[in-house]
Amino acid sequence: MARTQGSRAEITGPLIRTHARRLFARQGYAAVSMRQIASAVGVQAGALYAYTPDKQALLFDLLQDHMEHLLASWSDIPGDPLSRLEHFVRFHIDTSLDHADAVFLAYMELRNLTPENFARIAALRGQYESALETILRDGVAAGVMRIDDLKLATMALIAMLTGVTNWYREGGRLDRRRIGDIYWGLARGAVGAD
Amino acid sequence: MARTQGSRAEITGPLIRTHARRLFARQGYAAVSMRQIASAVGVQAGALYAYTPDKQALLFDLLQDHMEHLLASWSDIPGDPLSRLEHFVRFHIDTSLDHADAVFLAYMELRNLTPENFARIAALRGQYESALETILRDGVAAGVMRIDDLKLATMALIAMLTGVTNWYREGGRLDRRRIGDIYWGLARGAVGAD
DNA sequence: GTCTATACCAAGATAGAC
DNA sequence: GTCTATCTTGGTATAGAC
């Protein structure tokens, strides 16, 4: 980044968010300095403050945008509960891989939010979890799933699916479709649908 | 902590480790200062350096001790693969709840280790994962489990079980035995053992 | 909008007295 | 082994020029 002066507001804003997201995810919010983000973007540290009032707001905005995007992207489908669960499983895995940095942030850096900011993100996450819980409840009611405890099954499935971000590497042994197949098999079994 | 002078090596060492573990788990390694740890222990920051050469070594020792304790505590049992899997599930959940801070650290703060330290902890974790993988392989060979992909099933189960630390609270709705029952049901289904 | 320069503070770590 | 005091570095954030 050899540039020394000039205005590029239309691209600097998104760049700051992208690099901050990546750095926060890889090293942790507290371990990343504003100088480091600025350096990745190609501006001086002071310039960041034209886009965010402070570092905390930057983190919160990233998390909030991710959760809102997640909720806006999700839509249940009509049909039987098992098809709807399969749809959720594939959606969650695809999203987790497409937005791996944001997903990782959203459940690792909640502790670095102020209490008010934490409460707002937690509420959004609760909404998302209840989307899955609803499917499981319907599955039990329809007699196509056997589940001892709805809340735990919901948390367990989400933890299992999100775990894909721990080992997935682009260009690895398995493609995404195949990964979805495998996890769907695990999830279907876990809810007693075999 | 009103004490101003004096030697208490026999208790200060363990106290430093306990408080560092708790603080690192709650706020993240990078967000915790040596002064903060010292304050929790009741000594001045300089005194910590009689016990650890630096902050990085303190983190590494906590992770290494946890992984070694985990591996030393685990022992497979003789018997059929399903009983062995049930034993693993209950062991993993009990351990995760007994040592919640260390478990959380061990998979969240790896990124704050130097490359050499990271490699050593990752190797220990690989050993632990292969304990589960062996059980699953035996279960498939014995025809009592149906698993599409051994590696993924191993990672998925561990992620699901470890997730218990995300929501468990002492004195909550469910006791540990019941939690173990529920997760065992989920795991048994996931490996196609119903 | 971005730069350079800097104020201000807290971090990790060390030295030497007790 | 612990304290007090301090060195040095690097952090967040701001001011004012361009």
Side-chain angles (χ1 to χ4, degrees):
Chain A
M1 296 288 164
R3 202 171 45 79
T4 51
Q5 280 276 8
S7 170
R8 320 174 79 186
E10 68 288 356
I11 65 165
T12 299
L15 274 183
I16 289 172
R17 299 164 58 78
T18 300
H19 283 105
R21 190 184 299 114
R22 172 152 32 205
L23 289 166
F24 287 163
R26 282 171 181 36
Q27 307 178 39
Y29 169 79
V32 174
S33 70
M34 296 297 267
R35 289 196 230 272
Q36 198 178 347
I37 297 169
S39 165
V41 172
V43 296
Q44 294 298 313
L48 299 183
Y49 293 87
Y51 296 89
T52 182
D54 54 31
K55 193 183 173 189
Q56 163 78 200
L58 182 53
L59 173 64
F60 174 69
D61 285 347
L62 289 172
L63 296 183
Q64 185 177 48
D65 286 0
H66 169 66
M67 290 308 303
E68 285 176 350
H69 173 262
L70 184 67
L71 287 168
S73 302
W74 166 250
S75 64
D76 204 349
I77 56 171
D80 64 290
L82 283 179
S83 300
R84 288 161 61 206
L85 178 58
E86 177 177 1
H87 177 60
F88 182 92
V89 166
R90 295 188 186 278
F91 169 81
H92 189 86
I93 289 178
D94 284 341
T95 303
S96 296
L97 294 180
D98 286 338
H99 308 284
D101 287 339
V103 168
F104 192 74
L105 273 188
Y107 96 113
M108 266 315 309
E109 297 294 358
L110 292 189
R111 62 190 178 184
N112 280 307
L113 294 173
T114 61
E116 310 88 61
N117 285 347
F118 174 86
R120 292 160 73 183
I121 301 297
L124 294 172
R125 189 162 69 170
Q127 275 186 52
Y128 183 68
E129 288 164 358
S130 67
L132 173 56
E133 191 177 331
T134 298
I135 295 174
L136 299 185
R137 184 179 297 110
D138 292 348
V140 171
V144 296
M145 300 180 191
R146 277 181 295 108
I147 294 175
D148 288 335
D149 189 288
L150 266 184
K151 285 274 179 215
L152 257 69
T154 301
M155 302 302 281
L157 284 179
I158 287 183
M160 182 180 84
L161 298 175
T162 306
V164 73
T165 60
N166 292 335
W167 54 263
Y168 179 80
R169 295 295 173 266
E170 204 69 47
R173 175 168 63 92
L174 302 166
D175 66 24
R176 289 179 175 215
R177 176 75 202 181
R178 178 83 186 111
I179 292 170
D181 293 344
I182 293 169
Y183 272 94
W184 165 230
L186 291 163
R188 188 179 46 204
V191 299
D194 274 344
Chain B
M1 298 288 166
R3 203 171 46 78
T4 51
Q5 280 276 9
S7 170
R8 320 175 77 188
E10 66 289 354
I11 64 165
T12 299
L15 273 183
I16 289 173
R17 300 166 57 78
T18 299
H19 285 286
R21 189 185 299 113
R22 171 150 35 204
L23 288 167
F24 287 163
R26 281 171 181 36
Q27 307 179 38
Y29 169 78
V32 175
S33 70
M34 295 297 268
R35 286 176 170 85
Q36 198 178 348
I37 297 169
S39 166
V41 173
V43 297
Q44 293 298 313
L48 300 182
Y49 292 88
Y51 297 88
T52 182
D54 54 30
K55 193 184 173 189
Q56 163 79 200
L58 181 54
L59 174 64
F60 175 71
D61 285 348
L62 289 173
L63 295 184
Q64 185 177 48
D65 286 1
H66 169 65
M67 290 308 304
E68 286 177 348
H69 173 261
L70 184 67
L71 286 168
S73 301
W74 165 251
S75 64
D76 204 350
I77 56 171
D80 65 291
L82 283 179
S83 300
R84 289 161 61 206
L85 178 59
E86 177 176 0
H87 178 59
F88 182 91
V89 166
R90 294 188 187 277
F91 169 81
H92 189 87
I93 289 177
D94 284 342
T95 304
S96 296
L97 294 180
D98 286 338
H99 307 283
D101 287 338
V103 167
F104 192 73
L105 273 189
Y107 97 113
M108 268 314 310
E109 296 295 355
L110 293 189
R111 62 191 177 183
N112 280 307
L113 293 174
T114 62
E116 309 89 62
N117 285 347
F118 174 86
R120 292 160 75 182
I121 300 298
L124 293 173
R125 189 163 69 169
Q127 275 187 51
Y128 183 67
E129 288 164 357
S130 65
L132 173 57
E133 192 176 331
T134 298
I135 295 174
L136 299 185
R137 184 179 297 110
D138 292 348
V140 172
V144 296
M145 300 182 192
R146 276 182 297 108
I147 294 175
D148 288 334
D149 189 289
L150 267 185
K151 285 275 179 212
L152 256 71
T154 301
M155 302 302 281
L157 284 179
I158 287 182
M160 182 180 85
L161 298 176
T162 307
V164 71
T165 59
N166 292 334
W167 55 263
Y168 179 80
R169 295 295 173 268
E170 204 69 48
R173 176 168 63 93
L174 302 165
D175 66 26
R176 290 182 176 213
R177 176 76 201 178
R178 179 83 186 108
I179 291 170
D181 293 344
I182 293 169
Y183 272 94
W184 165 229
L186 291 163
R188 189 178 46 203
V191 300
D194 273 345

